[in-house]
Amino acid sequence: MKAQGAGIAIAGSGSATPAQILDNHDLSQMVETSDEWIRSRTGIGRRHLAAASSSLSELAAKASQGAIAMAGLSACDLDLIVLATSTPDDLYGSACQVQSLLGATKAVAFDLTAACSGFVFGLITASQFIRTGVYHNVLVIGADVNSRWLDWSDRSTCVLFGDGAGAVVCQAIENGDRLLGFEMHSDGTQNGSLNLAYRGEPKILKEDIAIASGTYQPISMNGREVYRFAVEKVPEVIEKALYRANLAVEEIDWLILHQANQRIMDAVASRLKIPSEKVISNLAEYGNTSAASIPIALDEAVRQGKIQPGDTIVTSGFGAGLTWGAAIFQWGK
């Protein structure tokens, strides 16, 4: 255990996406849409979809292995695993399955559900365990398989989502703190704008006892409201996180937003006066992978050599709940 007051460093990243690819042309054969319609409104060209035989836990474990290796650790070195997901294999949680697949025998594991804000919320949660000296090595995973919960006849949602997983290893360090600032918010009054809701029908057990028997319905979204919410709230939450970090916008090296819609990302960058060359986007290839979108984009940029040790990165997640948050960190030790 570290002494109380330890800092946090993000020491490794990894990502994994399914091999199956559904492009916009394929979708145009399924619903009334076109490549031009999808690209012009979202920026998405393709999405990777999990096979029927695959699991979220396997996808999350594969991404985690890359992050653990980059950090120079083994799975046995992990103290804690935080799995940010809204689409677990098991409704009781899938983090323990990931722990087993990795062989992380020392690590406690739990799921965190905050939809597309999940990775940012998970990173902030992990930092608190490290800063208080409780844990030394924490694996944070963002993973979702939203293809399981789409209505493939609803063009307002089926064109948007893809599947994937991304992970980072957070470590305790003595020399400073690489997590520079963060901010989180929730507003349950807007839950109806984006949800994956349970719907049950009454089932009579006996004369005076009735329960609900049903299942979860496909993803439902009011795209216009979500767009309005994101364009207003994301710049605001980033500005608050920058204030907490005592940083100016000009000191940002990279902006990695939740990959939901290119128009949202462009609008946020414009409002913050962040030039497009500092905005990392892989939306065209993967679509909206929910909690996985930020860590997948981060991992790709690191492995491509874009992001270098010491670079200052602003991340912001936003989505169902409604939830939104931002975290600012320097990459590497």
Side-chain angles (χ1 to χ4, degrees), residues 41-306:
R41 287 162 176 78
T42 70
I44 299 169
R46 316 200 301 174
R47 66 286 295 147
H48 294 234
L49 303 180
S53 59
S54 67
S55 71
L56 175 121
S57 301
E58 291 167 343
L59 203 60
K62 185 177 179 180
S64 300
Q65 287 164 350
I68 293 166
M70 186 185 288
L73 302 176
S74 71
C76 292
D77 295 317
L78 297 176
D79 304 306
L80 171 66
I81 298 170
V82 179
L83 172 61
T85 186
S86 299
T87 55
D89 299 318
D90 180 344
L91 195 58
Y92 288 156
S94 289
C96 292
Q97 291 171 269
V98 176
Q99 181 235 30
S100 175
L101 288 169
L102 291 173
T105 52
K106 280 174 46 186
V108 63
F110 62 82
D111 287 32
L112 182 153
T113 303
C116 303
S117 303
F119 176 76
V120 170
F121 282 24
L123 181 64
I124 294 165
T125 299
S127 74
Q128 307 313 302
F129 284 101
I130 290 174
R131 285 174 168 174
T132 55
V134 177
Y135 295 127
H136 186 285
N137 297 311
V138 181
L139 176 67
V140 180
I141 311 163
D144 272 303
V145 182
N146 277 307
S147 61
R148 293 173 173 173
W149 295 105
L150 287 171
D151 176 353
W152 288 96
S153 66
D154 178 6
R155 74 170 186 172
S156 69
T157 55
C158 76
V159 304
L160 301 176
F161 293 94
D163 303 331
V168 297
V169 169
C170 302
Q171 287 189 287
I173 56 170
E174 300 287 359
N175 56 329
D177 196 333
R178 306 294 187 266
L179 180 62
L180 307 177
F182 65 82
E183 183 82 11
M184 298 186 290
H185 291 279
S186 300
D187 181 3
T189 66
Q190 297 190 67
N191 175 259
S193 298
L194 177 56
N195 60 38
L196 201 170
Y198 174 84
R199 185 179 300 163
E201 297 293 335
K203 180 177 181 179
I204 307 300
L205 297 184
K206 54 178 293 189
E207 184 178 351
D208 57 346
I209 298 178
I211 62 169
S213 178
T215 187
Y216 290 87
Q217 301 303 298
I219 294 169
S220 172
M221 184 178 71
N222 183 327
R224 185 172 296 177
E225 288 302 316
V226 172
Y227 179 89
R228 184 181 296 121
F229 145 76
V231 170
E232 176 187 353
K233 296 297 186 181
V234 173
E236 180 182 278
V237 80
I238 289 173
E239 287 171 342
K240 288 181 178 179
L242 284 167
Y243 176 79
R244 292 184 183 278
N246 194 28
L247 289 173
V249 171
E250 294 74 26
E251 296 175 271
I252 298 170
D253 293 304
W254 302 103
L255 175 65
I256 308 180
L257 298 174
H258 166 49
Q259 309 285 299
N261 184 302
Q262 192 62 49
R263 292 195 300 172
I264 291 175
M265 290 193 282
D266 292 344
V268 170
S270 175
R271 178 166 163 183
L272 292 170
K273 295 182 172 57
I274 297 174
S276 60
E277 58 267 24
K278 289 186 175 185
V279 180
I280 292 174
S281 173
N282 61 8
L283 179 68
E285 176 64 26
Y286 301 111
N288 180 344
T289 55
S290 195
S293 75
I294 291 173
I296 290 174
L298 171 68
D299 182 54
E300 286 193 339
V302 168
R303 294 179 187 274
Q304 291 166 1
K306 283 185 178 180

Side-chain angles (χ1 to χ4, degrees), residues 1-24:
M1 289 176 60
K2 299 292 288 185
Q4 188 168 350
I8 176 175
I10 293 123
S13 64
S15 60
T17 53
Q20 293 189 130
I21 293 173
L22 188 73
D23 65 23
N24 291 346

Side-chain angles (χ1 to χ4, degrees), residues 22-28 35 38-39 44-47:
L22 188 73
D23 65 23
N24 291 346
H25 175 72
D26 297 325
L27 272 171
S28 71
D35 178 66
I38 297 170
R39 285 183 186 273
I44 299 169
R46 316 200 301 174
R47 66 286 295 147

